[in-house]
Amino acid sequence: GWYDQRFTYLLLYLLMLALAPRLARRAHGDAGSPALALTALLALNPIMANDVLFGQNDSFVLFWLLLALWFWRGAVMNPARPARGLSPLTLSAICFGLACASKPTAWFLAPFYALLLLRPAIPGRGAGWRAQLRVVSGRLLPAALAFALLVGPYAVWDLNALVDDVWRWANGAAAQAYQIWGWGASNFVLALGLARDRFAYWPFWIPQLLIAAPALAWLLRRQWLDNSLAAAAWRYGLFLFLFLLVSRFLNENYLGFLLAFWSLGYFGAEAD
């Protein structure tokens, strides 16, 4: 029968735009409307719109991440636990787990999202790192369960095939690996003759570790001091950009995805 996945991506793209105003910071004076500006940047992002036209899935994972942040902000704005149903924090974690199950680019938000989950604080729980770790672990549990529910059956079916498709294919270690490609520093590996061809393996994990790991430590320190939605979006985008810049491939669709989060970082909610 006939089917086109792009209709799903288009629907979620429109729903994402409906969520955007709630994620923006409040307007002050004559500064204009951050909610309108954020929605416009997400809607008129030319790279992301091109992704939807060609059926690339960045808008899919973006929807689940923004929905997770939307529920998180609802929990921060209204910290009282609902009498019935799942709490906004639980729904946020479930959506984050679905995002992580859909594409590895969502995984890089995890350390910043974990810090966001320290808000709202639990009265009487204390401020020690062990207490905070227990709070974060408990609030991340729904995300882990959602991720396991979707990914688990494939791991049981054929774990080696799952690892080959998700990990070895992307880093060049699979029998049929993705090529060295895109707009990143990997072009220098080809230009300098460090790899015999585009499909050969080259240890991009070394520059990724040297560049992205110190950046993550610094960004998490800054996030600890300014634990807001806007800060998490901006720093996640920067961390992912540095990782992708020295990866095997940095395709233009990733730049559209990063632009969406940098827009959220600029116009997103700050201290609530």
Side-chain angles (χ1 to χ4, degrees):
W2 178 86
Y3 177 75
D4 194 327
Q5 180 68 13
R6 290 175 295 182
F7 282 112
T8 301
Y9 295 160
L10 180 60
L11 175 62
L12 296 185
Y13 195 71
L14 296 175
L15 291 175
M16 175 196 68
L17 297 179
L19 299 176
R22 180 70 181 275
L23 298 174
R25 66 174 184 263
R26 298 183 180 91
H28 298 289
D30 298 327
S33 172
L36 182 59
L38 175 61
T39 306
L41 282 174
L42 292 175
L44 302 177
N45 182 338
I47 305 177
M48 187 69 70
N50 194 59
D51 292 350
V52 175
L53 290 175
F54 284 93
Q56 293 171 294
N57 61 5
D58 297 285
S59 61
F60 184 84
V61 65
L62 178 62
F63 167 78
W64 292 110
L65 289 176
L66 293 192
L67 185 59
L69 295 175
W70 186 83
F71 278 121
W72 173 86
R73 194 175 187 215
V76 170
M77 299 292 288
N78 301 287
R81 184 178 178 86
R84 295 181 179 180
L86 299 176
S87 69
L89 274 183
T90 299
L91 293 172
S92 173
I94 291 173
C95 292
F96 182 70
L98 295 176
C100 290
S102 64
K103 196 165 187 176
T105 48
W107 303 353
F108 293 81
L109 180 60
F112 305 100
Y113 180 72
L115 289 181
L116 287 177
L117 288 181
L118 290 174
R119 302 175 56 193
I122 299 178
R125 184 58 66 92
W129 68 268
R130 289 186 178 86
Q132 292 175 339
L133 183 60
R134 286 194 294 270
V135 169
V136 170
S137 299
R139 290 174 173 177
L140 277 176
L141 182 59
L145 293 176
F147 181 87
L149 183 63
L150 290 181
V151 178
Y154 294 97
V156 173
W157 183 9
D158 193 333
L159 180 60
N160 182 66
L162 179 64
V163 173
D164 192 67
D165 181 70
V166 175
W167 177 252
R168 291 194 290 263
W169 176 82
N171 72 7
Q176 293 182 344
Y178 192 80
Q179 59 185 322
I180 299 173
W181 189 256
W183 295 3
S186 60
N187 288 291
F188 291 103
V189 173
L190 295 176
L192 297 174
L194 301 179
R196 67 176 184 273
D197 58 55
R198 288 187 177 274
F199 295 93
Y201 173 79
W202 197 83
F204 287 99
W205 65 269
I206 296 177
Q208 287 174 325
L209 185 64
L210 293 175
I211 294 175
L216 176 61
W218 181 77
L219 290 170
L220 285 177
R221 173 62 179 169
R222 300 301 302 174
Q223 185 67 33
W224 179 266
L225 298 174
D226 175 23
N227 196 17
S228 66
L229 184 151
W234 172 256
R235 289 163 186 152
Y236 160 61
L238 180 57
F239 173 48
L240 183 58
F241 171 73
L242 292 174
F243 181 88
L244 293 173
L245 183 64
V246 290
S247 69
R248 188 174 178 85
F249 52 91
L250 172 55
N251 294 331
E252 66 277 5
N253 59 296
Y254 294 135
L255 299 178
F257 183 79
L258 291 170
L259 178 60
F261 271 93
W262 284 333
S263 301
L264 181 59
Y266 189 81
F267 290 107
E270 297 168 340
D272 293 303

